[in-house]
Amino acid sequence: MKPQEENKFNSLCFTDFDGRFNARLAAVMPRFMAGGEESKVAGTSARYQCRIKVEYHKDLMGLLEEGMLLAVRNFKQTLLGEERYTLMEVSRVWPEHFGLRGLSDHGYYPMQFEIIEQCEADWQTDDKATMMIQIDAIPINYDLVIGEKCDFKFVKGFSYPVVGSPVYILNSEMINRMYNQKIAEKIGVDPSKTVEDARADPRLGVIKMFQTSKTVIPIYVDFEKLVRYHFGVFAFTGGGKSNLMSNVLRRILLHTDNVKVVVFDISCEYAFLLLDLLAGEKIPAKIILEHRIDSLEQFFNSVVKPREYEADERIKAGLQRIMEQNKVAFYTRPKQKIPTYAQFLDELNDQRRGCVDKPHYLNAIDKIHDAILDYMEEHGISENQEVDEEFIKYIDKIAVSTIDEFKVHEKSGLYAWGTTRNTLIARIRRRHEEEQKERGGLTAEKIRELLEGEEKLVCISISDPLTIKELVVTLTQDLLIRRKRKFQVKPYILLVFDEAQEFIPELSGATGIEKKCSKQVETLLRQGRKYGLGVCIATQRIAYLNTNALQQLHTYFVGTLPRPYDRTLISDTFMIDKGILEKTLEFAPGEWLLSSYIATGIENVPIFIRADNAENEIEKFLKKGSLMQN
């Protein structure tokens, strides 16, 4: 192999690891044929796979990593002085020994062992005659165009690379600019001064590249786009889903002014994971539990904590501060059923079916119907709100006078309906009395009012699936309808569904409240972005989710998913290459594959990252609290 070509952009954009990396593009292979078997398991965005051959160097295997970005010249025409490169992502790296490749299982056994034994020593040399490094890489559908004045731009689209050309590795500075430059400028941070502290730096973590050289490349996302266009977190048990979620939520709340967060916490663990925010005084917050809390011990026992913190008494100091700030409430599930305006209109429309042959009855129904709509429009009321005493008194007068005006017979169903509306008042008053007894209790409507007020963080920790699903349906319907009516977009509201299989199960096997909840969250995902309502879903069981809902996500974090079906579903749904996804099987807790159509610096390019540990923020808070006590 000839020495790597000199390139005026080498030091600016590329690295060769001090002369160790000398590589050429050997082949560009189609990933699949139409209808072929490979098409069923490969992400549809990857049309080709590239094979790169690298001269062997004993230190190189420790420097090369999956996820690195390579560049190779392509056939596209450029302006004079410009150079254009096809970008590709490393999906697999392995060394090859000529002696081992020619080893046959049918050979004489002592000879096989002797060849294998001799090969061990060869790996510690730089013998390029007998050893080579092979790389498989996937084009990421972007070209890098570098101008004569060393300015650069990324152009979307695939360009066929020139086979036999030198291959270059994008250096850490180029990777930093590629992923962070646009976003860092927008949010006003300097990536070169990155730190792990959540309050000082809005980064999510660091990019898993150049770790051997201890080069730190932070990863930033556009929080407004992340929230508004929905995101998902998928990993098996122990992958760190809740840790990542609390990490993301903490930075959203600390570094944005116009985002509110509602967490539907069926596992009751976010009171601990967001303890520093809930106990702090800067962020208006409320934690809503299943039952009334009368003591600190009761509060402590109701919070799910990681194993190492289960008996940590320091947590009680934080919980005490939450209680002292009156941030603890409980959900009051209505006992007296009060109809909504939509149900009220449906009851009236039901009367129409038996009156087809009585035109004067239909006229009476229309007049009452129009009076209800006029009242709702005048008072700015949405259909899913419950009727109140003032409305009942108003519509009772309208109904009685209308029945009298159109001579509705006293034995008819319409007459009975119109003259008994006043009985609802007693039910409304009983509901009001019950709510007065349950001091500190919040209904779905009051939770919605909290979000329209000062609260930036509302954590709903309810472990009963039926109760929390009913609340999800009621609250999300109310939020969506009211925002549609007001044409309101800001402030953005992020609704977080941890253990998402409980809220958006596959529709084919769902019934009752499960089906209703799944359909409602799907509707929210479809329509919410137009009205500033974002959704985050996190689960370990992606195969059991409503796939129509999954397809609405624009950003996703993928951890370890051992089941092949789950990885295939991710590949098909989010157009990510299966070869890249296989790398996630090696992930330690806290390591993620991040890709986004909208929220990262370069869209739809998978990035291997290591997220900052949210427990470090909690530990800092607990240490600070214990020092204050001492």
Side-chain angles (χ1 to χ4, degrees), residues 383-398:
E383 290 185 357
N384 69 316
Q385 283 183 251
E386 293 178 346
V387 299
D388 58 16
E389 188 171 336
E390 183 184 346
F391 168 75
I392 296 300
K393 289 177 180 176
Y394 163 80
I395 206 63
D396 181 62
K397 288 180 183 177
I398 297 289

Side-chain angles (χ1 to χ4, degrees), residues 36-37 45 58 72 120 188 221 224 340 357 391 411 504 558 582 585 604 620 623:
E37 197 64 32
S45 63
K58 63 181 179 180
V72 61
E120 182 189 10
V221 297
E224 287 193 5
T340 62
D357 56 342
F391 168 75
K411 291 187 177 179
I504 48 172
V558 183
E582 293 297 324
L585 292 172
N604 203 28
K620 278 192 291 185
K623 282 182 179 177

Side-chain angles (χ1 to χ4, degrees), residues 217-260:
I217 310 172
I219 180 67
Y220 297 95
V221 297
D222 186 324
F223 287 131
E224 287 193 5
K225 290 179 179 177
L226 181 75
V227 168
R228 189 171 179 182
Y229 293 92
H230 317 313
F231 65 100
V233 179
F234 311 112
F236 197 59
T237 303
K241 292 188 305 299
S242 299
N243 191 300
L244 174 69
M245 295 274 287
S246 61
N247 183 31
V248 174
L249 298 181
R250 180 176 285 101
R251 281 162 168 79
I252 288 172
L253 289 164
L254 290 171
H255 297 283
T256 60
D257 297 322
N258 59 350
V259 178
K260 300 189 174 195

Side-chain angles (χ1 to χ4, degrees), residues 18-38:
D18 298 325
R20 297 184 185 97
F21 185 81
N22 186 13
R24 297 263 173 178
L25 178 64
V28 179
M29 301 161 281
R31 288 301 306 273
F32 56 85
M33 300 297 181
E37 197 64 32
E38 181 72 11

Side-chain angles (χ1 to χ4, degrees), residues 318-337:
L319 299 178
Q320 181 68 47
R321 287 171 62 179
I322 296 173
M323 294 178 74
E324 288 170 354
Q325 294 175 65
N326 198 28
K327 290 183 176 180
V328 182
F330 62 96
Y331 176 57
T332 300
R333 195 175 176 185
K335 297 185 180 73
Q336 299 291 334
K337 291 288 184 183

Side-chain angles (χ1 to χ4, degrees), residues 233-244 498-499 501 538-544 557-564 566-567 570 584-585 587-592:
V233 179
F234 311 112
F236 197 59
T237 303
K241 292 188 305 299
S242 299
N243 191 300
L244 174 69
D498 201 355
E499 304 297 341
Q501 69 277 0
T539 185
Q540 60 175 326
R541 306 179 70 185
I542 189 171
Y544 296 96
F557 298 83
V558 183
T560 302
L561 292 170
R563 299 186 184 95
D566 288 341
R567 296 196 300 277
I570 290 276
T584 63
L585 292 172
F587 281 177
E591 296 181 344
W592 299 90

